[in-house]
Amino acid sequence: MQLYNTLSAEERAVMIDDAGKQRLTLSFYAYAQIENPTQFRNDLFLAWNPLAVLGRIYVAREGINAQLSLPADQFYEFKDTIEKYDFMRGIRLNIAVEQDDFSFLKLTIKVRDKIVADGLNDATFDATNIGIHLKAKEFNDMLEDPDTIVVDMRNHYESEIGHFTQAIKPDVDTFRESLPIIEEQLSEHKSDKKLLMYCTGGIRCEKASAYFKHKGFENVYQLEGGIIEYTRQVKAEGLQSKFIGKNFVFDHRLGERITDDIVSQCHQCGKPCDVHTNCANEGCHLLFIQCEACASANEGCCSVECVEIIHLPEEEQKAIRRGIKNGNKIFKKGKSDKLTFKNTEHVNAKVVAEKPEPKTQNPTPKIKKTLVGKGIHFFPKASIGQFYIEKGEIAIGDKIIIKGPTTGSQKMIIEAMFVNDIASTKAIAGQTCTFKLPFRIRLSDKLYRLE
């Protein structure tokens, strides 16, 4: 009896390609009393694995917190599997603002002490005594009230790329850090102000509202369904979005565009930018904000050291990262000491990568390459790779390099291509292109154009 994921991300990506089905990305949570979390976890896996459900799910004695994707045509079968439990009957499912068939590539269900790491002892207060839920219009109206204090219950790297106007945004790495900080900052306003909170999907506010009521705050409100449900209601009702920028999400997409506002800056040069990326050095993998120019100059890396490492032979790279466990360090983002702009008083900080000193008297000229996109599909039967163009452009006749930890570094010339499924000679930023490949690509592969 299979109770755990047995396929790699690459193998699952190929299966998604072969299935050719549109997938839905969604999230939900529910607080409940679960007597045997391990049995509950195993039952969910056995029900969801045959439906090709993929995602990251946490279960605990206090309930469930789920972020997942599934084939759209099996949505109602999936609903049947959760509604067999009384506490999930009629539960709100937050459908993602932007869809991506590859948002998740594994089904991971873990048993935890808490469904959200809050650091609280719930036995000291009533966790069901929560704040008042507000719908989008009610939330907008309350934002206009001068007696309202609105607080972003997310982490600094989430609020940095998008937030509600006038919101207090705690400079914290984790949810548990924010609770005592907010209590201290607002201690003088427990009775004379309305405390209005929001988060991504509502789960953090659910616990936080009960905590703040326990701490003596008299007027506690929370955004129903979080930013995801707010955005849906804003679009459906034609309301003005008071949330600006992007909504950060913890899956392959890394963010959902809510408005066209760009409220953050590149962590390397300071230019307006809200595009998150992982450092191309697999031994680092730092998640940070990087603009097109810095991505090109630094080859997708966060520092000079990482640029040097990615040019080493793969075996040397593996030796360097052997035994290193980055864990949540990758979420340090703008706080990492590697990032130039976020650690200098000078706004116009220079791009971090510099030309390395030659190591021999007659060095081989360095090949200049520009990062333009990433691999998103591979069709094994036709041996065709599909790429998303993130910046710049590529065209027929261009020399390219496709590089990844498993793929290695593969050079070729584009002889023909399809752009958004139509034969074309050029692909630009925001488009997808496909062309024949003599090798398999993976989702971790980067596409470079040789100059």
Side-chain angles (χ1 to χ4, degrees), residues 45 48 128 157 246:
F45 191 95
W48 291 352
T128 66
Y157 50 84
K246 271 185 175 180

Side-chain angles (χ1 to χ4, degrees), residues 86-99:
D86 290 341
F87 72 91
M88 288 196 284
R89 191 165 295 137
I91 194 172
R92 180 182 57 250
L93 302 176
N94 286 326
I95 306 298
V97 176
E98 297 179 346
Q99 294 296 330

Side-chain angles (χ1 to χ4, degrees), residues 296 367-370 372 399 449-451:
S296 176
I367 298 174
K368 184 178 179 181
K369 60 183 187 292
T370 301
V372 293
K399 295 180 180 179
R449 184 182 69 250
L450 296 178
E451 303 296 334

Side-chain angles (χ1 to χ4, degrees), residues 196-319:
L196 183 57
M197 299 179 295
Y198 69 90
C199 58
T200 306
I203 187 171
R204 284 175 275 192
C205 291
E206 203 82 354
K207 184 64 69 71
S209 66
Y211 173 79
F212 288 125
K213 290 184 72 173
H214 169 67
K215 289 296 184 177
F217 287 84
E218 298 178 8
N219 306 297
V220 181
Y221 301 84
Q222 61 197 87
L223 179 58
E224 182 182 84
I227 299 164
I228 299 174
E229 176 63 13
Y230 173 87
T231 302
R232 188 196 69 77
Q233 292 180 20
V234 163
K235 291 180 178 180
E237 300 173 25
L239 304 175
Q240 177 187 359
S241 177
K242 301 283 186 166
F243 184 96
I244 56 175
K246 271 185 175 180
N247 178 31
F248 184 89
V249 293
F250 290 89
D251 60 50
H252 177 68
R253 297 169 297 153
L254 297 179
E256 301 176 317
R257 172 67 62 190
I258 307 300
T259 71
D260 293 332
D261 304 273
I262 298 178
V263 299
S264 52
Q265 298 165 304
C266 172
H267 286 170
Q268 290 179 315
C269 73
K271 293 178 182 177
C273 180
D274 58 9
V275 178
H276 277 109
T277 188
N278 285 105
C279 178
N281 173 18
E282 292 295 319
C284 171
H285 213 56
L286 180 73
L287 188 56
F288 66 106
I289 298 174
Q290 187 179 52
C291 72
E292 181 177 338
C294 288
S296 176
N298 296 282
E299 302 181 51
C301 292
C302 69
S303 65
V304 175
E305 292 78 11
C306 285
V307 172
E308 293 174 350
I309 288 173
I310 67 171
H311 286 287
L312 296 174
E314 182 61 27
E315 288 305 313
E316 289 188 37
Q317 292 186 47
K318 289 181 178 178

Side-chain angles (χ1 to χ4, degrees), residues 6 14 18 70 102 139 176 184 213-214 224 242 281 316 389 394 408-409 414 420 429 444:
T6 59
V14 171
D18 290 344
L70 71 153
F102 297 85
F139 192 88
R176 69 173 66 195
E184 180 180 356
K213 290 184 72 173
H214 169 67
E224 182 182 84
K242 301 283 186 166
N281 173 18
E316 289 188 37
I389 307 303
I394 59 170
S409 183
I414 299 177
N420 294 344
S444 57

